[in-house]
Amino acid sequence: METLRNWSSLCGYFVFIFLTTVSKDACFSEGSACEAPTSPECFTKNAIETVYNCEWSMNRTDGIVTFDLYFNSKTKFEVFNKTWHTIPEEKLIQRREVFIWVEAHVGNSSCSSPRRSVVLRDIVKYDAPQITSMSWSNSSLSLMWEAPEKHPALTEVWLRGDGHPAELRKETFTRINTDQVTVANLSQHSTHWVQIRQRSTQVKSPLWSNWSPWVKVPAELAHAPEVNVTTKRLNGTREVTLTWKLRSHAAAAAAGVTYQLSDTQSSLGCPCARTEKRRHYLF
């Protein structure tokens, strides 16, 4: 805020006095301007993790940036030229409220992020999930990934059609099983792109994970291959050979292709009928 006061002298001249007030969290500079970083987010990657990860962002300059990460006024960590820092839990106040902020120093310029009040123990942010496999059942697509912990979680799914990035569909699921979700009512004749993210339901202030990479789901994965069967008798037994056309390289590259063979024709007296036989081919 600037205030302009006009004082008149005896000689007919005017004297101008500027009164300037600078916000506590604004940038201050002796050289070039510095743009304030965002407020830091500090979290563990699951409910039992003992290391806190702190992240923030800032429009970088050409110069070297040094950050001071504060937890209240007495706890400070210096971070050199990066926008993240990891801290063991024993160095922090975890179970009661603290104020966190970060100061950036670029040359002779310094600026500070807004201050946030948090309880660190209440904050969990999972790693971005990595889709490991996909399967179709009628018009429903199931997505699988490795769960970060064995607790209910919130999962969000984004889908878009191939070649139509603006046509997005979002669905949110809460599941006991935290490593699988099924999206219904999808066209089996169209190629889809899909990505997911997840959030803990076990703490008071969970953060969404980053999004997984986009994964392509070719339309041909939704249809079972046409199987040819040939039978040959060998000394009182039958040798059955199944053949089918392999998926295209584009479909196989989406997430690998698994073929499952189930024997439903053998008699109950046959030992091979008691367990389901599977063969896997990954390309």
Side-chain angles (χ1 to χ4, degrees):
M1 178 188 301
E2 294 183 351
T3 303
L4 178 62
R5 293 183 180 176
N6 183 348
W7 286 359
S8 176
S9 70
L10 295 176
C11 298
Y13 293 95
F14 294 93
V15 178
F16 296 93
I17 298 178
F18 290 88
L19 302 179
T20 303
T21 302
V22 180
S23 171
K24 186 175 184 179
D25 288 327
C27 297
F28 55 91
S29 173
E30 297 175 3
S32 60
C34 166
E35 184 170 341
T38 61
S39 295
E41 290 185 333
C42 296
F43 54 87
T44 57
K45 293 186 177 182
N46 56 56
I48 62 173
E49 179 65 57
T50 60
V51 174
Y52 282 86
N53 298 268
C54 295
E55 301 174 344
W56 58 94
S57 62
M58 176 184 176
N59 290 334
R60 301 300 299 271
T61 67
D62 293 334
I64 295 175
V65 184
T66 300
F67 297 98
D68 290 329
L69 175 62
Y70 285 91
F71 295 82
N72 291 335
S73 300
K74 296 182 179 180
T75 304
K76 182 181 76 171
F77 300 91
E78 186 173 297
V79 184
F80 181 72
N81 216 34
K82 61 184 182 181
T83 55
W84 57 270
H85 192 54
T86 57
I87 308 169
E89 64 177 9
E90 59 267 20
K91 294 186 177 182
L92 298 172
I93 299 172
Q94 304 166 59
R95 300 185 182 278
R96 58 185 174 86
E97 185 179 74
V98 296
F99 288 91
I100 62 175
W101 71 96
V102 63
E103 285 184 357
H105 308 280
V106 186
N108 294 326
S109 301
S110 298
C111 47
S112 177
S113 73
R115 302 187 181 194
R116 297 177 58 232
S117 173
V118 299
V119 177
L120 293 172
R121 179 49 65 185
D122 292 343
I123 308 174
V124 167
K125 180 181 179 180
Y126 293 147
D127 284 335
Q130 302 295 315
I131 298 174
T132 56
S133 61
M134 302 174 291
S135 64
W136 283 93
S137 177
N138 297 323
S139 60
S140 296
L141 174 66
S142 294
L143 307 169
M144 282 75 73
W145 62 93
E146 185 176 348
E149 54 185 353
K150 296 180 180 179
H151 296 293
L154 203 62
T155 301
E156 194 168 78
V157 181
W158 274 103
L159 298 111
R160 65 174 173 84
D162 192 26
H164 302 282
E167 296 179 7
L168 292 173
R169 169 181 168 184
K170 182 178 74 170
E171 295 201 19
T172 303
F173 305 85
T174 302
R175 291 289 185 269
I176 298 299
N177 183 358
T178 59
D179 60 358
Q180 179 174 340
V181 71
T182 299
V183 185
N185 301 319
L186 291 177
S187 170
Q188 295 179 284
H189 304 288
S190 303
T191 295
H192 303 280
W193 288 86
V194 62
Q195 65 177 177
I196 59 175
R197 65 176 181 172
Q198 52 191 348
R199 192 176 75 184
S200 171
T201 59
Q202 303 303 296
V203 295
K204 293 181 179 179
S205 304
L207 302 174
W208 280 107
S209 74
N210 294 331
W211 286 100
S212 70
W214 283 103
V215 174
K216 188 176 183 179
V217 189
E220 61 179 300
L221 287 180
H223 307 284
E226 183 178 344
V227 179
N228 298 313
V229 181
T230 58
T231 303
K232 182 168 62 175
R233 294 188 176 276
L234 294 173
N235 299 325
T237 63
R238 289 186 302 166
E239 180 184 86
V240 180
T241 302
L242 307 179
T243 59
W244 58 88
K245 184 178 179 180
L246 296 178
R247 295 300 189 188
S248 68
H249 289 295
V257 176
T258 300
Y259 296 96
Q260 177 179 303
L261 171 63
S262 299
D263 178 7
T264 61
Q265 301 299 316
S266 301
S267 66
L268 294 178
C270 177
C272 64
R274 296 179 184 176
T275 59
E276 184 180 275
K277 292 188 173 235
R278 298 181 179 180
R279 296 181 182 178
H280 302 281
Y281 302 85
L282 299 179
F283 303 91

